[in-house]
Amino acid sequence: MHYIVGALRRAVDLILSLDPAVMEIAWLSIKLSAISIIIAAAIGIPIGFILGVYDFPGRSFLTSIVNTLLSLPTVVVGLAVYSFISRRGPLGRFGLLFTPWAIIIGQTILATPIVTALTMNATRSLDRDLQLTALSLGASRVQMAWLLLLQARFAVFGALVAGFGRVIAEVGAAMMLGGNIEGYTRTLTTAIALETSKGEFAFALALGIILLLISFVVNILVHYFQQVKHRGAYHGNNSPRRGFA
Amino acid sequence: METILHVEDLRKSYNGLTVLDLDALSIPRGQITVVMGPNGAGKTTLIRILALLEEPDRGTILLGGQPVPEDEEQRLALRRRMGVIWQRPALFAMSVADNLGLALRLRGWNRKQIRAKVEEYAEMFNLGRLLRKWPNELSGGETQKVSVARSLIYEPEIMFIDEPDTYLDLRNRHLVEEMVASQVERRGMTALMVTHSRQQMSRLAANLVFLQAGQVRWSGQVDSQDPKNWDEELKALLGLAEPSA
């Protein structure tokens, strides 16, 4: 027990003293996950919006695929991307393996289905009356799409935060694709695995606490966006009786 | 009397069920035409088609004597000359002030112009204290009042009004009627209003169209507010026929 308390104390010291090695790993993790989420947003939000708002043949099939991809195991993604970017793979000539870009590719593949599915759910739950209202106010088709996305924006922000939470905490893809190179591709999760195996318990614990803190902030943000999205209520939330009070 | 809207041989069906089957119908310019009829008579479908928000299965719509074009840009220009007040008001997830100014923003007005117009209409509709509120903070009556003001603010040439009273108390019902009537009188707006209320019809209507099972059963001018002076067929349709001796 003394051993754990001692390690915990040293871990807190490392965080409070802003230990450069700890901070460098934390910052790299946040940076790579943020870039992955930006790319996943660029892919997932438009696809999720189209699947949520428009009716077309094959929509339910595509929806099933997106939902299936939600539970992609990180090591499978790592393996698949590895086979593509390893020296003998089709993208081998770009030399991406064991670079930060390899991790970003893997994390983007993990985050995109989350962003797509949550955007799809958010826009699908919008009332069809909103589309007619937008058009009747003189919106062009593009303006209407923009207004619907604006209506769902809190839920979409929530989707991005949820995706960020998933990728910053994953270890499989980061380990296989990044190679855990110090100062280059060593992320919070891969460093925790390595430091624990080396017996550097306090250092690993410090990184674990930072990861927990990030998860905590992510959860608070997700909760906030879930709450705030109801501010965009319309007639459905307003009982007509209230008008007579 | 000049005709602003004329339809011929208009037909619309959903899932094989015909909801609208009109041989011909003309709406005079610069007056209030009231559409009445039992539930399922096709009143709301008629509004959606005339407001160019839905395509009929077949038929011709003439707007100011000209057929409605197929081209999306030209249709958008026509839609921007029209407005719709819906039975179930839908506000967007933004402040009341932003909702009020939305149609002006869609038309490319600048901030200063929008603010001035929003303030003018907020005063007219007694909405000043609500401008910073969000839709979920409004009562049903306030929501409808905002939606009515939002549709009138860009001063459409033709206003379609679909049973606006559902969420309004008596005082606000009269306020909305007054606002619509004043725009008809002041700047020659044409209004097509669906209502179930005979009293409202006799207060406002210059013309009446009675729909039943998707067809026009009666249409013509309403010369008198007193039902006693109405023709027998209309009285029978409105359930006002005196029992025969």
Side-chain angles (χ1 to χ4, degrees):
Chain A
M1 196 63 193
H2 281 299
Y3 167 67
I4 296 174
V5 173
L8 202 58
R9 196 172 291 154
R10 270 184 291 138
V12 173
D13 281 345
L14 281 170
I15 295 170
L16 293 180
S17 66
L18 301 177
D19 179 79
V22 172
M23 291 305 131
E24 187 189 355
I25 293 170
W27 171 238
L28 183 72
S29 281
I30 292 170
K31 197 170 72 178
L32 295 184
S33 299
I35 294 171
S36 307
I37 286 301
I38 290 168
I39 301 170
I43 303 167
I45 292 175
I47 297 175
F49 182 83
I50 290 167
L51 287 174
V53 172
Y54 300 104
D55 248 332
F56 54 90
R59 179 167 91 153
S60 57
F61 175 70
L62 288 173
T63 302
S64 304
I65 288 183
V66 170
N67 287 331
T68 306
L69 293 177
L70 279 177
S71 50
L72 263 182
T74 60
V75 283
V76 173
V77 171
L79 183 65
V81 176
Y82 188 98
S83 64
F84 271 85
I85 65 174
S86 64
R87 191 163 293 181
R88 285 183 297 168
L91 304 174
R93 64 201 162 96
F94 295 112
L96 291 168
L97 191 62
F98 304 140
T99 68
W101 283 107
I103 300 179
I104 289 169
I105 292 169
Q107 291 189 340
T108 301
I109 292 171
L110 283 171
T112 301
I114 298 175
V115 175
T116 307
L118 295 181
T119 303
M120 178 178 73
N121 291 342
T123 49
R124 193 168 284 180
S125 64
L126 293 177
D127 204 311
R128 190 175 136 66
D129 287 356
L130 282 170
Q131 288 187 39
L132 281 175
T133 299
L135 292 175
S136 72
L137 287 170
S140 65
R141 301 279 160 187
V142 174
Q143 286 174 325
M144 182 196 76
W146 175 246
L147 276 173
L148 292 182
L149 200 56
L150 203 67
Q151 186 76 8
R153 64 191 179 276
F154 299 117
V156 173
F157 284 141
L160 298 184
V161 175
F164 182 85
R166 157 102 153 136
V167 296
I168 200 160
E170 75 82 27
V171 64
M175 186 72 91
M176 290 172 82
L177 301 171
N180 201 13
I181 303 165
E182 191 179 358
Y184 188 51
T185 58
R186 184 163 296 169
T187 63
L188 283 167
T189 51
T190 59
I192 290 170
L194 178 76
E195 299 299 334
T196 306
S197 68
K198 276 164 50 183
E200 294 288 346
F201 208 53
F203 196 82
L205 213 51
L207 297 175
I209 291 170
I210 291 175
L211 195 56
L212 264 178
L213 283 174
I214 292 171
S215 294
F216 182 64
V217 171
V218 163
N219 273 303
I220 287 177
L221 285 175
V222 169
H223 182 71
Y224 169 76
F225 286 127
Q226 276 172 349
Q227 294 297 309
V228 84
K229 78 177 179 187
H230 297 298
R231 292 188 70 196
Y234 31 101
H235 55 74
N237 285 28
N238 294 319
S239 157
R241 295 246 169 255
R242 287 181 60 194
F244 295 86
Chain B
M1 182 59 57
E2 192 191 345
T3 296
I4 190 163
L5 262 169
H6 179 76
V7 298
E8 257 181 44
D9 193 24
L10 193 75
R11 198 184 164 95
K12 179 75 186 175
S13 54
Y14 297 106
N15 303 322
L17 190 75
T18 303
V19 286
L20 210 55
D21 189 5
L22 305 180
D23 291 337
L25 178 67
S26 292
I27 310 295
R29 185 189 288 274
Q31 296 186 342
I32 300 179
T33 298
V34 165
V35 180
M36 295 185 83
N39 287 335
K43 304 184 295 291
T44 300
T45 305
L46 178 66
I47 281 189
R48 285 185 182 181
I49 290 174
L50 293 182
L52 309 184
L53 300 171
E54 203 163 320
E55 284 284 320
D57 299 337
R58 66 155 200 248
T60 314
I61 304 173
L62 300 176
L63 190 65
Q66 299 293 317
V68 171
E70 300 270 315
D71 177 67
E72 182 58 33
E73 280 297 307
Q74 289 175 304
R75 285 174 74 91
L76 174 63
L78 290 182
R79 274 201 283 115
R80 287 187 170 170
R81 287 163 52 192
M82 305 176 181
V84 185
I85 296 169
W86 300 100
Q87 184 184 10
R88 296 201 317 153
L91 300 184
F92 286 91
M94 50 182 79
S95 70
V96 166
D98 287 341
N99 265 290
L100 286 177
L102 182 60
L104 306 175
R105 224 170 95 198
L106 295 172
R107 286 161 176 77
W109 288 38
N110 69 37
R111 275 174 194 278
K112 206 173 150 193
Q113 292 170 315
I114 293 174
R115 193 185 304 158
K117 203 74 178 166
V118 165
E119 278 169 12
E120 180 192 331
Y121 270 75
E123 193 178 338
M124 217 187 276
F125 279 82
N126 199 15
L127 294 169
R129 66 189 173 83
L130 302 178
L131 285 179
R132 283 163 182 265
K133 290 198 173 185
W134 276 56
N136 64 319
E137 298 171 289
L138 306 180
S139 71
E142 288 167 340
T143 304
Q144 182 59 297
K145 229 162 59 158
V146 171
S147 98
V148 172
R150 182 181 62 179
S151 296
L152 285 171
I153 201 167
Y154 57 94
E155 304 192 338
E157 202 177 321
I158 310 173
M159 178 62 88
F160 300 94
I161 307 162
D162 191 3
E163 295 185 51
D165 294 350
T166 314
Y167 291 84
L168 294 175
D169 60 12
L170 200 59
R171 193 164 52 91
N172 284 319
R173 214 171 278 186
H174 286 146
L175 175 71
V176 168
E177 282 181 12
E178 215 174 276
M179 291 299 158
V180 171
S182 89
Q183 295 231 7
V184 171
E185 203 167 306
R186 188 162 53 82
R187 55 179 193 83
M189 182 178 82
T190 303
L192 189 80
M193 177 187 266
V194 168
T195 181
H196 278 294
S197 160
R198 192 166 43 77
Q199 287 77 13
Q200 190 170 44
M201 184 275 277
S202 63
R203 272 198 304 273
L204 294 172
N207 311 282
L208 175 70
V209 176
F210 193 94
L211 285 182
Q212 200 167 38
Q215 296 184 326
V216 177
R217 288 290 305 275
W218 194 95
S219 95
Q221 286 186 318
V222 182
D223 297 321
S224 165
Q225 288 206 359
D226 188 352
K228 280 183 192 150
N229 302 325
W230 295 346
D231 83 40
E232 291 305 317
E233 195 189 349
L234 177 60
K235 280 199 272 190
L237 285 168
L238 296 175
L240 292 170
E242 299 202 1
S244 53

